Amino acid sequence: MSKIKIKSVLISDEKHEFQGFGLKNGHKIIYNDHNIKTVITLGETVYLERKSDYLLFLAFKAQKTLTGSYSNNYGKIDLEVKTKLLKQKENSLEIEYTLINNKQKISDFKFILEYSIDT
């Protein structure tokens, strides 16, 4: 397990940026983004899980539509995750995707993650 520096940007209607530290354990990157536990699992399919008073689970595969979900105390919403772009490099990840619920587009997103070993 390695301590890493993280910079992430999520762009939709608004831009949300985070800079801080996290851990890289094998193919998993784990960090707290403003008290929201974030776990990213890298691979041919990339998984993003964000947990606070809700649980957001998204799966990404280049040029594919996969299933995801948003759950809280009131219930669960199934989501379609349409991945337009998925670029993985040695220390970065870029994903462009659309979230869809009941055939209705929720929004387009761009997520950029850069990380490096903390020295």
Side-chain angles (χ1 to χ4, degrees):
M1 196 174 316
S2 303
K3 186 176 178 183
I4 56 175
K5 290 182 187 176
I6 292 176
K7 178 182 178 187
S8 70
V9 178
L10 178 65
I11 303 167
S12 184
D13 296 333
E14 297 178 5
K15 185 175 182 180
H16 174 78
E17 294 186 53
F18 170 77
Q19 289 190 38
F21 296 93
L23 297 172
K24 185 167 188 302
N25 188 6
H27 295 288
K28 289 192 180 210
I29 296 172
I30 304 161
Y31 62 98
N32 282 312
D33 177 351
H34 300 94
N35 294 323
I36 300 169
K37 182 179 180 182
T38 304
V39 179
I40 298 169
T41 305
L42 303 171
E44 188 176 319
T45 302
V46 173
Y47 299 96
L48 170 67
E49 188 176 321
R50 290 175 58 85
K51 188 174 186 178
S52 180
D53 54 346
Y54 63 87
L55 174 62
L56 177 66
F57 180 81
L58 304 176
F60 307 97
K61 189 167 185 172
Q63 304 302 312
K64 299 285 183 189
T65 300
L66 303 176
T67 57
S69 63
Y70 176 89
S71 307
N72 63 18
N73 292 338
Y74 301 104
K76 179 179 174 185
I77 298 170
D78 290 325
L79 301 169
E80 290 179 58
V81 184
K82 183 177 182 179
T83 307
K84 298 179 208 167
L85 173 77
L86 176 61
K87 275 196 225 176
Q88 293 184 69
K89 294 184 182 172
E90 188 174 333
N91 291 326
S92 68
L93 174 67
E94 182 178 346
I95 307 171
E96 291 181 14
Y97 62 99
T98 301
L99 289 182
I100 301 164
N101 175 252
N102 289 329
K103 307 222 183 284
Q104 296 289 322
K105 177 177 157 180
I106 296 171
S107 191
D108 291 316
F109 296 88
K110 183 173 186 174
F111 177 71
I112 302 167
L113 175 73
E114 296 173 348
Y115 55 95
S116 60
I117 300 296
D118 182 34
T119 55

